[in-house]
Amino acid sequence: MPERRTVALVTLGCARNEVDSEELAGRLAADGWELVENAEEADVAVVNTCGFVEAAKKDSVDALLEANDLKDHGRTQAVVAVGCMAERYGKELAEALPEADGVLGFDDYADISNRLQTILSGGSVEAHTPRDRRKLLPLSPVERQEAAAAVALPGHGDAAEAPTDAPADLPEGIAPASGPRAPLRRRLDTSPVASVKLASGCDRRCSFCAIPSFRGSFVSRRPSDVLNETRWLAEQGVKEVMLVSENNTSYGKDLGDIRLLESLLPELASVDGIERVRVSYLQPAEMRPGLIDVLTSTEKVVPYFDLSFQHSAPDVLRAMRRFGDTDRFLELLETIRSKAPTAGARSNFIVGFPGETEADFAELERFVTHARLDAIGVFGYSDEDGTEAATYEHKLAQDVVDERLAHLSRLAEELTAQRAEERLGETLEVLVESFDEEDGWIGRAAHQAPETDGQVFLTTADGTSPDLAPGRMVRAKAVGTEGVDLVAECLFEEAGR
């Protein structure tokens, strides 16, 4: 009988990392590893790290150290770092953090089982040497698809998907690799919502962002792979899929059709069992009238706009290597709301960028005040290794950055609470997600993405908890607010389906 091998995946960062973790889980389960939820119950704890900003990197290190502590008083024998921080720093991270028994890059994912087995058996796996992944593929997007077969793209699968010694019949709950780049995937929770990777990498060159250097150039997944994965997720009980990538508005440009998303969305919405399709990570400068039309008029595709504005003062945007300004951004939001008045909209902003003047900051305040966004993330600028902005002069003093961060954060909290109040009286379609002993049933409306945009507390007209279940879509009337969160009375009807 084969020796029992257990592994736990600890995921930090964004939804794209969550998809990558489920691909790793699928590969490991197919090769006989038993997946456990808690790291203290695993022989190997695999920490999928985030390398985006300093705070995220600190959280990743803390998670690795916490997992390492389990080796002193638990089952855990090894701790392994994967993900963006491991890919970005490689040997440097391994030297700085000897508590990690392995630091594996994206190129190791295809052979993750053997890598972990080597480490578990007391051997060592050399930490990878970081490289600029933008240089691994042709500069021209239309030449990338064929070349991409030889490049590791987490969440895309690979040509030799299943291990050679994998069972002929995959264990229950693993998505089959139905195409040359379709990944094995194993769900790590039972949530009725799941992310689906639409593409990887980014061709934009924002001066503050290091992501393209370690995620590589933009590569779309084939529509058939996205559809097949969505069908499999529906079979697993998923009701909402969220399409994720570094830039969804570029989907299809390397497949010869920049409007491919407009034709894919209705197909995804027609998958049996799927009740809601959500698109994240949209670039304002790349929004097209046809895409806005599809997002605002297709049944089961929610009118939700996760727009990466970052700032609105023209001089700051140009220094960021971005486009637009306050008035153009407000016009874009007005166009969206003219087609779908209750559309959800969110964005993130960076304050204290090098050279940002008081007038620039005031212009950003003007935009945020008039934009009526449902959710706002605010970050203070900090230098990121290897970025153009790190070389800029005219850096602001840290106390100025901190002051502007605090000011805009307070304003954002007030404005998003006001936006929630504007929704009082709306009839919402709510996806029921969980039950809490204190708050009762909790779900999300169409304008709320998972984890980032608030939630809906469901009740009845007499104040009692309704009889619901995770995964159910219900109609409810917004009757109260708690910050960005809504309180809604169930109307005791299925939400149109």
Side-chain angles (χ1 to χ4, degrees):
M1 184 175 179
E3 180 183 357
R4 181 172 182 252
R5 302 176 300 175
T6 57
V7 60
L9 286 143
V10 180
T11 306
L12 293 94
C14 64
R16 295 167 302 222
N17 258 17
E18 293 171 6
V19 175
D20 293 350
S21 286
E22 294 197 346
E23 179 191 347
L24 291 173
R27 291 177 183 271
L28 290 166
D31 204 32
W33 290 79
E34 180 181 339
L35 297 163
V36 296
E37 184 175 350
N38 298 315
E40 60 265 28
E41 299 171 2
D43 296 317
V44 183
V46 177
V47 180
N48 192 348
T49 61
C50 179
F52 180 41
V53 293
E54 201 60 41
K57 287 183 279 189
K58 182 181 183 303
D59 288 343
S60 295
V61 171
D62 289 345
L64 287 163
L65 293 174
E66 183 178 338
N68 182 68
D69 290 342
L70 299 174
K71 291 191 287 188
D72 296 330
H73 51 78
R75 178 188 177 102
T76 308
Q77 300 173 52
V79 175
V80 175
V82 298
C84 291
M85 188 176 180
E87 173 65 34
R88 184 176 180 184
Y89 294 105
K91 290 183 178 181
E92 181 183 342
L93 177 62
E95 292 169 0
L97 198 71
E99 292 85 353
D101 299 285
V103 176
L104 306 181
F106 297 152
D107 293 335
D108 293 303
Y109 283 20
D111 201 27
I112 187 68
S113 178
N114 288 335
R115 297 287 193 274
L116 296 191
Q117 185 59 59
T118 296
I119 293 169
L120 185 60
S121 301
S124 62
V125 175
E126 184 178 0
H128 82 108
T129 301
R131 52 183 172 168
D132 188 339
R133 297 188 73 86
R134 292 172 293 191
K135 298 179 180 179
L136 301 181
L137 292 170
L139 185 63
S140 171
V142 296
E143 297 177 1
R144 287 182 194 155
Q145 284 291 322
E146 183 176 352
V151 176
L153 299 172
H156 287 233
D158 55 34
E161 183 57 49
T164 55
D165 56 348
D169 295 322
L170 291 174
E172 183 179 355
I174 299 180
S178 56
R181 287 202 68 97
L184 298 173
R185 181 171 178 173
R186 174 72 173 265
R187 295 216 68 203
L188 293 173
D189 60 39
T190 58
S191 169
V193 60
S195 296
V196 173
K197 197 170 267 193
L198 197 61
S200 286
C202 186
D203 288 342
R204 300 184 72 87
R205 295 296 179 261
C206 301
S207 63
F208 56 84
C209 183
I211 289 176
S213 66
F214 57 84
R215 277 290 184 179
S217 299
F218 185 89
V219 180
S220 302
R221 293 182 66 198
R222 295 280 177 179
S224 57
D225 288 339
V226 177
L227 276 165
N228 286 335
E229 189 170 339
T230 299
R231 293 185 184 110
W232 175 79
L233 288 168
E235 292 170 359
Q236 305 302 304
V238 168
K239 300 299 181 183
E240 175 180 328
V241 292
M242 184 167 74
L243 302 180
V244 299
S245 76
E246 279 73 20
N247 178 9
N248 281 332
T249 34
S250 282
Y251 179 68
K253 72 176 185 179
D254 52 325
L255 295 171
D257 185 0
I258 190 61
R259 294 176 176 80
L260 194 55
L261 184 56
E262 286 94 307
S263 58
L264 177 60
L265 285 172
E267 293 188 68
L268 292 171
S270 67
V271 171
D272 288 343
I274 296 298
E275 297 291 341
R276 182 183 282 172
V277 178
R278 185 182 303 276
V279 183
S280 62
Y281 305 110
L282 299 169
Q283 286 291 339
E286 298 180 32
M287 290 300 295
R288 306 175 292 276
L291 180 55
I292 294 174
D293 288 342
V294 170
L295 288 170
T296 56
S297 64
T298 306
E299 184 180 6
K300 296 189 181 181
V301 175
V302 294
Y304 174 80
F305 293 82
D306 175 13
L307 294 159
S308 177
F309 290 121
Q310 301 299 344
H311 211 283
S312 73
D315 289 345
V316 176
L317 286 168
R318 302 306 174 267
M320 289 179 167
R321 303 296 184 200
R322 298 177 66 84
F323 305 94
D325 56 49
T326 295
D327 292 333
R328 276 189 251 183
F329 290 164
L330 291 174
E331 183 179 348
L332 172 59
L333 290 169
E334 179 58 33
T335 298
I336 290 167
R337 288 169 177 144
S338 70
K339 298 175 182 295
T342 62
R346 79 169 319 277
S347 193
N348 293 324
F349 300 94
I350 297 172
V351 299
F353 194 79
E356 181 190 65
T357 65
E358 290 185 7
D360 293 329
F361 185 66
E363 184 68 1
L364 176 57
E365 280 190 274
R366 181 170 81 89
F367 172 68
V368 171
T369 300
H370 290 89
R372 297 171 58 228
L373 298 173
D374 292 282
I376 298 171
V378 185
F379 301 88
Y381 172 82
S382 61
D383 286 340
E384 281 296 311
D385 298 335
T387 62
E388 180 184 356
T391 69
Y392 284 179
E393 298 178 350
H394 309 297
K395 301 282 178 63
L396 275 64
Q398 190 59 50
D399 60 340
V400 175
V401 176
D402 293 343
E403 180 182 347
R404 292 181 183 180
L405 174 62
H407 178 85
L408 195 66
S409 296
R410 287 193 299 270
L411 178 62
E413 185 175 353
E414 295 172 5
L415 292 170
T416 52
Q418 291 174 15
R419 178 64 180 136
E421 291 175 358
E422 291 179 20
R423 293 190 179 276
L424 291 176
E426 281 187 21
T427 298
L428 312 170
E429 292 191 0
V430 180
L431 173 62
V432 182
E433 292 191 326
S434 62
F435 181 82
D436 180 84
E437 289 293 337
E438 182 176 343
D439 296 317
W441 285 105
I442 301 171
R444 286 180 300 103
H447 69 279
Q448 297 168 320
E451 300 182 5
T452 60
D453 299 349
Q455 52 196 0
V456 177
F457 301 108
L458 292 161
T459 185
T460 60
D462 60 8
T464 59
S465 180
D467 182 17
L468 298 171
R472 182 177 171 184
M473 294 284 292
V474 297
R475 291 189 186 279
K477 181 179 180 180
V479 296
T481 65
E482 297 180 11
V484 297
D485 299 327
L486 297 175
V487 178
E489 290 181 1
C490 291
L491 301 178
F492 296 106
E493 326 172 7
E494 296 298 330
R497 295 175 278 282

